[in-house]
Amino acid sequence: MMISTKGRYALRVMIDLAEHPGEGFIPLKAIAERQGISVKYLESIIKVLTQAGYLHGLRGKGGGYKLTRSPEQYRIGDILRLTEGSLSPVTCLSKPTMDCEYAAECRTLSMWKGLYDMINNYFDNITLSDLIQPEIPGNDFVI
Protein backbone atom coordinates (compact mmCIF):
# COMPACT_ATOMS: atom_id res chain seq x y z
CA MET A 1 0.00 0.00 0.00
CA MET A 2 1.28 3.40 -0.95
CA ILE A 3 -0.56 6.59 -0.06
CA SER A 4 -0.73 8.84 -3.13
CA THR A 5 -0.06 12.56 -3.24
CA LYS A 6 -3.84 13.06 -3.29
CA GLY A 7 -4.18 11.42 0.13
CA ARG A 8 -1.11 13.15 1.57
CA TYR A 9 -2.13 16.55 0.25
CA ALA A 10 -5.69 16.10 1.54
CA LEU A 11 -4.22 15.58 5.01
CA ARG A 12 -2.04 18.66 4.61
CA VAL A 13 -5.07 20.76 3.60
CA MET A 14 -7.11 19.49 6.54
CA ILE A 15 -4.24 20.12 8.96
CA ASP A 16 -3.70 23.60 7.53
CA LEU A 17 -7.36 24.48 8.03
CA ALA A 18 -7.37 22.97 11.53
CA GLU A 19 -4.37 25.13 12.45
CA HIS A 20 -6.20 28.31 11.43
CA PRO A 21 -9.65 27.94 13.04
CA GLY A 22 -10.22 31.58 13.95
CA GLU A 23 -9.54 32.94 10.50
CA GLY A 24 -12.95 32.07 9.04
CA PHE A 25 -12.97 31.00 5.41
CA ILE A 26 -9.44 30.56 4.13
CA PRO A 27 -8.78 31.17 0.42
CA LEU A 28 -7.49 28.21 -1.54
CA LYS A 29 -4.59 30.34 -2.74
CA ALA A 30 -3.44 30.90 0.87
CA ILE A 31 -3.54 27.16 1.59
CA ALA A 32 -1.66 26.42 -1.64
CA GLU A 33 1.05 28.96 -0.81
CA ARG A 34 1.52 27.73 2.76
CA GLN A 35 1.64 24.10 1.66
CA GLY A 36 3.66 24.57 -1.54
CA ILE A 37 1.01 22.82 -3.64
CA SER A 38 -0.44 24.12 -6.91
CA VAL A 39 -3.90 25.67 -6.71
CA LYS A 40 -5.00 23.60 -9.70
CA TYR A 41 -4.14 20.30 -7.99
CA LEU A 42 -5.71 21.42 -4.72
CA GLU A 43 -8.97 22.24 -6.51
CA SER A 44 -9.59 18.57 -7.26
CA ILE A 45 -8.78 17.55 -3.68
CA ILE A 46 -10.93 20.31 -2.17
CA LYS A 47 -13.84 19.23 -4.37
CA VAL A 48 -13.73 15.70 -2.92
CA LEU A 49 -13.46 16.96 0.66
CA THR A 50 -16.28 19.46 0.17
CA GLN A 51 -18.63 16.96 -1.48
CA ALA A 52 -18.06 14.56 1.42
CA GLY A 53 -19.03 17.31 3.89
CA TYR A 54 -15.56 17.57 5.45
CA LEU A 55 -15.20 21.20 4.33
CA HIS A 56 -17.54 24.10 3.80
CA GLY A 57 -16.77 26.38 0.89
CA LEU A 58 -17.84 29.94 0.27
CA ARG A 59 -17.43 31.71 -3.07
CA GLY A 60 -16.71 35.36 -3.68
CA LYS A 61 -15.01 38.06 -1.66
CA GLY A 62 -14.14 36.75 1.77
CA GLY A 63 -14.66 33.22 0.52
CA GLY A 64 -12.58 30.14 0.92
CA TYR A 65 -12.80 26.93 2.93
CA LYS A 66 -13.12 25.87 6.53
CA LEU A 67 -13.71 22.65 8.44
CA THR A 68 -17.32 21.65 9.07
CA ARG A 69 -16.47 19.99 12.41
CA SER A 70 -13.87 20.32 15.14
CA PRO A 71 -10.48 18.66 14.47
CA GLU A 72 -11.19 15.95 17.08
CA GLN A 73 -14.06 14.70 14.92
CA TYR A 74 -11.97 13.90 11.84
CA ARG A 75 -10.33 10.49 11.78
CA ILE A 76 -7.28 10.24 9.55
CA GLY A 77 -8.50 6.86 8.30
CA ASP A 78 -11.71 8.43 7.00
CA ILE A 79 -9.82 11.16 5.13
CA LEU A 80 -7.43 8.65 3.58
CA ARG A 81 -10.20 6.21 2.59
CA LEU A 82 -12.10 9.12 1.02
CA THR A 83 -9.15 10.21 -1.10
CA GLU A 84 -7.46 6.83 -1.67
CA GLY A 85 -10.54 4.66 -2.05
CA SER A 86 -9.08 1.87 0.06
CA LEU A 87 -6.21 1.27 2.43
CA SER A 88 -6.02 -2.37 1.44
CA PRO A 89 -2.56 -3.89 0.98
CA VAL A 90 -3.92 -6.35 -1.62
CA THR A 91 -6.56 -6.06 -4.32
CA CYS A 92 -8.84 -8.80 -3.02
CA LEU A 93 -9.51 -6.87 0.21
CA SER A 94 -10.13 -3.54 -1.49
CA LYS A 95 -13.63 -4.51 -2.62
CA PRO A 96 -16.66 -4.52 -0.28
CA THR A 97 -17.42 -8.12 -1.29
CA MET A 98 -14.38 -10.30 -1.46
CA ASP A 99 -14.96 -12.12 -4.73
CA CYS A 100 -11.56 -13.74 -5.20
CA GLU A 101 -11.94 -17.21 -6.66
CA TYR A 102 -8.96 -18.41 -4.60
CA ALA A 103 -10.16 -17.09 -1.22
CA ALA A 104 -11.17 -20.54 0.07
CA GLU A 105 -7.66 -21.94 -0.54
CA CYS A 106 -5.61 -18.79 0.00
CA ARG A 107 -3.05 -19.40 2.73
CA THR A 108 -2.09 -15.73 2.92
CA LEU A 109 -5.56 -14.19 3.11
CA SER A 110 -5.69 -14.10 6.92
CA MET A 111 -2.26 -12.45 6.99
CA TRP A 112 -3.37 -9.74 4.55
CA LYS A 113 -6.65 -9.30 6.43
CA GLY A 114 -4.68 -8.83 9.66
CA LEU A 115 -2.49 -6.18 8.06
CA TYR A 116 -5.54 -4.47 6.58
CA ASP A 117 -7.19 -4.37 10.00
CA MET A 118 -4.02 -3.00 11.62
CA ILE A 119 -3.73 -0.23 9.01
CA ASN A 120 -7.36 0.79 9.40
CA ASN A 121 -7.26 0.63 13.21
CA TYR A 122 -4.05 2.65 13.30
CA PHE A 123 -5.36 5.48 11.10
CA ASP A 124 -8.81 5.40 12.72
CA ASN A 125 -7.22 6.10 16.11
CA ILE A 126 -5.51 9.29 14.96
CA THR A 127 -7.53 12.47 14.61
CA LEU A 128 -6.78 15.73 12.92
CA SER A 129 -6.47 17.20 16.39
CA ASP A 130 -3.62 14.78 17.16
CA LEU A 131 -1.66 16.07 14.19
CA ILE A 132 -1.93 19.76 15.02
CA GLN A 133 -0.29 19.41 18.43
CA PRO A 134 3.45 19.67 17.64
CA GLU A 135 4.41 19.97 21.31
CA ILE A 136 3.73 16.25 21.75
CA PRO A 137 6.91 14.26 20.97
CA GLY A 138 6.58 12.53 17.61
CA ASN A 139 4.03 14.98 16.22
CA ASP A 140 6.64 17.31 14.75
CA PHE A 141 6.90 15.53 11.41
CA VAL A 142 5.85 16.63 7.93
CA ILE A 143 3.59 14.57 5.73
Side-chain angles (χ1 to χ4, degrees):
M1 174 196 70
M2 173 111 39
I3 304 297
S4 69
T5 55
K6 185 175 183 180
R8 294 192 326 265
Y9 289 179
L11 290 176
R12 286 171 56 181
V13 166
M14 297 293 285
I15 291 167
D16 189 282
L17 291 170
E19 289 178 328
H20 299 90
E23 296 179 26
F25 288 92
I26 299 176
L28 187 59
K29 185 177 179 181
I31 298 167
E33 286 175 4
R34 283 194 296 253
Q35 296 302 317
I37 304 169
S38 79
V39 171
K40 190 75 173 162
Y41 192 54
L42 279 186
E43 286 173 347
S44 65
I45 294 169
I46 290 283
K47 181 178 179 182
V48 170
L49 294 169
T50 303
Q51 288 176 339
Y54 288 25
L55 301 179
H56 179 68
L58 181 66
R59 293 178 186 238
K61 186 174 170 88
Y65 297 90
K66 68 178 181 177
L67 300 178
T68 58
R69 306 185 298 254
S70 66
E72 303 82 38
Q73 295 176 306
Y74 292 96
R75 296 184 317 172
I76 298 306
D78 293 333
I79 298 167
L80 289 175
R81 281 187 292 274
L82 176 67
T83 55
E84 297 296 317
S86 174
L87 298 177
S88 173
V90 290
T91 309
C92 62
L93 294 175
S94 64
K95 302 171 188 169
T97 58
M98 202 177 68
D99 56 358
C100 177
E101 62 183 281
Y102 303 108
E105 304 95 33
C106 183
R107 296 189 187 267
T108 61
L109 182 59
S110 63
M111 174 187 69
W112 295 124
K113 176 78 169 100
L115 177 59
Y116 179 65
D117 291 343
M118 286 187 335
I119 291 168
N120 281 285
N121 289 333
Y122 178 75
F123 286 128
D124 285 342
N125 284 300
I126 302 171
T127 67
L128 208 50
S129 178
D130 296 327
L131 299 180
I132 61 172
Q133 299 177 15
E135 67 277 358
I136 297 172
N139 278 358
D140 55 352
F141 53 87
V142 177
I143 297 174

